[in-house]
Amino acid sequence: MFIKKSKALVVLSLIMSALILVSGCGASKPAETAPSGGESKEPIKIGFLGAKTGDVAIYGLNTLKGLNMAIEELNKEGVLGRKVQLVEEDNAGQKDQAINITNKLISQDKVVAIVGDPTTGITRVAGQIANSKNTVIMSAGSTGTNVVEIGPYVFRDTLLDTIAAPATMKYVIQDKGWKNVALITSKNNDYSVSLSKIFSDAIKSNGGNIVIEEFIQDKDTDFSGQITKIKSANPDVIVFSGYYTEGALIMKKAREVGIKAVMVGGDGLQGDDLMKIGGAAVEGSISYAGFSPEQPTPNTEKFINAFKAKYNNELPDLFAAQGYDALMIIAKAIKDSGSADPVKFKDTLAKTKNYDGVSGSITFQESREPIKSPVYLLEVKDGKFALLKKVPVEVK
C-alpha cells in the first residue's frame, strides 16, 4: 500500500512538473504581443487638475470640455493599443486642494500625466510635486513666469505673456495712439503681479507712459478709491492684469464716474462673466488669447464643428482648445516614444516642433517654453469676444 502510493506520488509529481513547464512556456507569449514599449493593456490614465467650482471655474470647466473631446478622438483607435482614461478632480481654484489632488492623482490614481491647472499660481505648486515624482504636467492656461523652470516634467501649451503682452501694447500705443496708461494690479494674484511687470516693461519700450498705478485684491468688490484716483490721472487706456470678475467691476465703477478709457488685459479677462457682470461697461475691452474661433484653419474648423455638435452649438474658447491640444500633444509623445512611462516620453514631448494644434502652431524651445503663433487680439463687441487682429509670431 505504501509502495503503491509512493509510485503514484512520483508519477503525479512528474505530470505536474511537465504541466508547469508547458504553462511557463505559454506565459511568455503575451509579452511578445504586448504593445510597443512593453506596456500593459490597462488604460493610460491622465489626470485633470482644475476648478469645476469657485471663482475661476470657467477656466477649468472649459479645459475639461476640450479634454473630453480629445479622449473621445484618441479612444477611436487607442494609444499603444490602450484606452485613455481621464481622472477628474475639482480644486475649486484653491492651492491647498490642488496640492492634495496632485498627490492623489500621482500616488493613488497612478496617472502618467496631468493636464492643468489653467492658472499660474496653482501650476507652480502642482508642478513642484509632479516634477519631484517624475510625472508630466502640462498646463493648458498658465501664462506667467517661473513655471517650466521648475523642472523637466513641467510643460505648458499656452501663449506666453512675455510674447503676447508686448504685441498687445505695441498695438495699443502705436496703432491706437493710447500712450497714457493706468496700470492696475491684483496684489494677491500671482498671475496679475507677474503680468503687470511684463505690461510695464512693454508700455515703456513702446513709448507709453504709466500715469498712475493702482492695486486691488482678488475678491474685492469696491474699487471707488482706485477709480477716483485714476479719473484724476486722465489715462487714455486702463491696463488691468487680473481676472474677469474684478475687471468687470472695475469698469462698471469707471463708467459710473465718467471715465471713457477702455480696458486692456491678458487672457485672464477671457470669460463670459466679464460681459455678464460688466455689461455695457466692458464694451470695447481688448484682451489677448492663443485662440479664436474666427478665421479658423482647416484643422481648427474641424475641431470647432465637432465641439459645437457635442456641446449644443457652443463655440469653444481658448481653454477648451488648449486643453484639447495639451492631451493630443502628450498622446503623440507617448506614441512616438513607444512608451507611456513619463520618464521616457517626456524627452520626446520636449522635442515637439511646429505641431499643428487647433489653438495654433506650437513649438517647444530648449527651455520647454512654447512658442505659439499667432497672437489673437480680441475685442468685446455686442457682448461677445470678437477677433480684432491676428499678430503673427516668428518662431526662431
Side-chain angles (χ1 to χ4, degrees):
M1 188 77 169
F2 176 76
I3 296 174
K4 288 183 178 179
K5 285 184 176 180
S6 297
K7 289 182 177 178
L9 286 171
V10 171
V11 172
L12 180 61
S13 176
L14 290 171
I15 292 171
M16 291 298 293
S17 298
L19 288 173
I20 289 169
L21 286 171
V22 171
S23 65
C25 292
S28 67
K29 289 187 177 179
E32 296 173 8
T33 57
S36 176
E39 305 290 349
S40 72
K41 288 288 187 178
E42 291 297 312
I44 297 173
K45 292 184 179 180
I46 306 293
F48 162 73
L49 181 67
K52 297 198 284 185
T53 58
D55 292 341
V56 293
I58 192 167
Y59 301 154
L61 290 171
N62 285 341
T63 301
L64 194 53
K65 288 179 179 178
L67 284 174
N68 282 320
M69 290 279 295
I71 291 285
E72 286 187 8
E73 184 169 334
L74 290 170
N75 283 340
K76 290 177 181 177
E77 296 183 359
V79 176
L80 300 183
R82 301 162 65 182
K83 294 291 187 181
V84 181
Q85 178 183 337
L86 190 66
V87 183
E88 297 180 25
E89 296 289 350
D90 176 17
N91 64 35
Q94 303 299 316
K95 287 184 182 178
D96 57 344
Q97 293 191 46
I99 290 170
N100 293 334
I101 289 168
T102 303
N103 280 311
K104 174 184 176 293
L105 288 172
I106 297 169
S107 300
Q108 294 184 32
D109 298 310
K110 308 297 183 184
V111 302
V112 303
I114 296 170
V115 176
D117 185 277
T119 66
T120 298
I122 289 179
T123 298
R124 287 174 182 158
V125 296
Q128 295 280 357
I129 298 167
N131 191 71
S132 70
K133 296 188 177 183
N134 297 343
T135 302
V136 164
I137 183 169
M138 183 179 292
S139 172
S142 66
T143 57
T145 56
N146 301 318
V147 172
V148 300
E149 292 89 341
I150 292 168
Y153 290 86
V154 184
F155 295 81
R156 52 183 171 181
D157 68 340
T158 54
L159 173 65
L160 299 180
D161 292 329
T162 51
I163 292 172
T168 303
M169 294 321 301
K170 181 179 181 181
Y171 172 79
V172 166
I173 295 169
Q174 297 186 15
D175 291 12
K176 300 294 289 185
W178 298 337
K179 294 188 176 182
N180 296 322
V181 180
L183 180 62
I184 305 177
T185 305
S186 180
K187 294 189 295 184
N188 63 340
N189 182 326
D190 292 341
Y191 161 76
S192 181
V193 172
S194 173
L195 180 53
S196 278
K197 175 65 169 64
I198 299 168
F199 267 135
S200 178
D201 292 343
I203 290 165
K204 294 168 186 174
S205 64
N206 281 286
N209 307 302
I210 300 175
V211 295
I212 186 170
E213 187 168 4
E214 287 294 322
F215 298 90
I216 67 163
Q217 294 201 74
D218 282 6
K219 298 188 182 298
D220 283 352
T221 56
D222 184 2
F223 304 110
S224 301
Q226 294 94 334
I227 293 301
T228 298
K229 294 177 186 177
I230 288 172
K231 183 179 180 181
S232 299
N234 193 31
D236 299 321
V237 61
I238 296 172
V239 173
F240 175 52
S241 60
Y243 293 148
Y244 53 81
T245 301
E246 289 75 23
L249 295 174
I250 286 169
M251 290 311 297
K252 285 187 76 172
K253 178 54 66 175
R255 295 294 182 253
E256 285 177 13
V257 301
I259 295 176
K260 297 187 182 299
V262 303
M263 176 173 61
V264 173
D267 59 10
L269 296 179
Q270 298 288 313
D272 289 342
D273 280 358
L274 178 71
M275 287 76 79
K276 290 177 182 176
I277 298 169
V282 298
E283 280 288 308
S285 294
I286 298 170
S287 56
Y288 59 73
F291 172 79
S292 170
E294 298 182 65
Q295 300 179 19
T297 64
N299 190 32
T300 304
E301 185 172 26
K302 180 182 176 182
F303 168 74
I304 291 170
N305 290 336
F307 191 95
K308 288 170 68 177
K310 182 175 177 62
Y311 295 112
N312 196 29
N313 214 36
E314 177 185 340
L315 281 172
D317 71 351
L318 79 157
F319 295 101
Q322 290 173 170
Y324 176 90
D325 278 343
L327 183 48
M328 296 302 282
I329 293 171
I330 290 170
K332 184 177 186 300
I334 291 173
K335 290 177 184 177
D336 291 349
S337 67
S339 175
D341 181 352
V343 175
K344 296 178 181 178
F345 75 74
K346 80 173 191 312
D347 294 330
T348 304
L349 182 61
K351 296 175 183 176
T352 300
K353 300 291 182 186
N354 299 314
Y355 178 81
D356 185 19
V358 300
S359 65
S361 176
I362 302 168
T363 292
F364 290 135
Q365 303 173 81
E366 287 186 12
S367 63
R368 299 180 318 287
E369 284 285 39
I371 294 292
K372 292 190 69 173
S373 183
V375 175
Y376 295 90
L377 297 183
L378 306 183
E379 179 183 29
V380 177
K381 188 174 182 180
D382 298 326
K384 296 180 180 179
F385 290 109
L387 181 62
L388 178 64
K389 187 181 178 77
K390 291 168 74 171
V391 181
V393 176
E394 182 179 354
V395 179
K396 297 181 180 179

